[in-house]
Amino acid sequence: MRTVRLAAAAVVLSSAVVLSGCGPAPWASESPSASAPAVSSPPPVVAPPVENDLSSGSTQRDLTAGAVSVAVNYWSELRMDRWTPTAVKPVSLSLVTTVTPNDGQKVYLQKATMLAIPANADETFPALDPQVDQASVKNGYLVLKPYSYSQTFNVGQLPENATYVTLQFTYDFLVQTKPRADEYAKQTATDTVTVAIAQQPASGSD
């Protein structure tokens, strides 16, 4: 009898082992771990294009100085691809004025000044020496329409890593307070023109 019982117990134990072996594996009940999110590299930084007010060859500005309205044209005889740091870069301008109300008083230009400030995206360099056209006649140059004023200034050598130059113009006017009067009012107009600098190709041996 004991042998029979032991045999029966062995059968039951064997069945239990088989049943437990048929169950799911312990790792099968665990929830799959979330995969790490993909990290995308930031897009490359693209420098914005350099502003160039003379990209079309010329530009026109309308300025105001008190009762005086000023129309100015700027241009350069040097092609923009030759505006390199080492080149002498001419800037020409022509201006004419009107006055409101127009009672017959005259407008004179006493002085025109250009200040060139080179820069790039990261820094601004020291300004070049200002260029000044001081009138050599009493009161200044008559600039009331139809009489106009023309001048050419030159932008000299710039730092080799400058990518643009800001040209600051200042115009000082004398305006008669009334026709044939010896009293004048001084008015000043300012303007800014930005011109891109062409980069010279790196020199190297072939």
Side-chain angles (χ1 to χ4, degrees):
M1 288 295 293
R2 182 171 180 172
T3 302
V4 174
R5 288 176 182 173
L6 289 174
V11 172
V12 172
L13 180 59
S14 175
S15 299
V17 170
V18 172
L19 289 175
S20 64
C22 293
W27 56 83
S29 62
E30 297 178 1
S31 60
S33 60
S35 58
V39 178
S40 59
S41 58
V45 177
V46 179
V50 178
E51 179 183 357
N52 190 350
D53 291 326
L54 297 183
S55 59
S56 63
S58 64
T59 188
Q60 179 177 347
R61 302 293 176 79
D62 293 318
L63 313 176
T64 301
V68 178
S69 297
V70 189
V72 191
N73 282 303
Y74 301 97
W75 71 94
S76 179
E77 297 294 341
L78 186 67
R79 286 191 341 225
M80 289 293 100
D81 62 342
R82 296 184 179 178
W83 268 62
T84 60
T86 57
V88 176
K89 300 164 279 293
V91 180
S92 299
L93 66 92
S94 177
L95 69 80
V96 66
T97 70
T98 56
V99 61
T100 304
N102 185 359
D103 297 326
Q105 64 271 47
K106 294 180 179 179
V107 180
Y108 300 91
L109 177 67
Q110 276 194 312
K111 182 171 63 174
T113 306
M114 185 191 76
L115 182 67
I117 306 173
N120 59 31
D122 299 318
E123 61 181 317
T124 299
F125 302 100
L128 277 62
D129 292 337
Q131 297 186 35
V132 181
D133 181 15
Q134 179 77 49
S136 57
V137 295
K138 182 182 177 181
N139 299 330
Y141 305 117
L142 180 61
V143 291
L144 185 66
K145 192 175 182 179
Y147 299 98
S148 63
Y149 165 84
S150 297
Q151 181 59 279
T152 297
F153 294 111
N154 289 313
V155 180
Q157 183 164 345
L158 306 176
E160 62 179 9
N161 51 342
T163 57
Y164 66 93
V165 59
T166 300
L167 308 177
Q168 296 181 353
F169 293 92
T170 303
Y171 306 104
D172 294 324
F173 300 98
L174 283 183
V175 185
Q176 278 184 316
T177 56
K178 56 185 178 180
R180 294 178 296 279
D182 288 331
E183 295 179 332
Y184 301 86
K186 181 179 179 180
Q187 303 290 348
T188 299
T190 60
D191 197 11
T192 299
V193 176
T194 301
V195 187
I197 298 301
Q199 298 305 300
Q200 300 179 104
S203 60
S205 58
D206 294 337

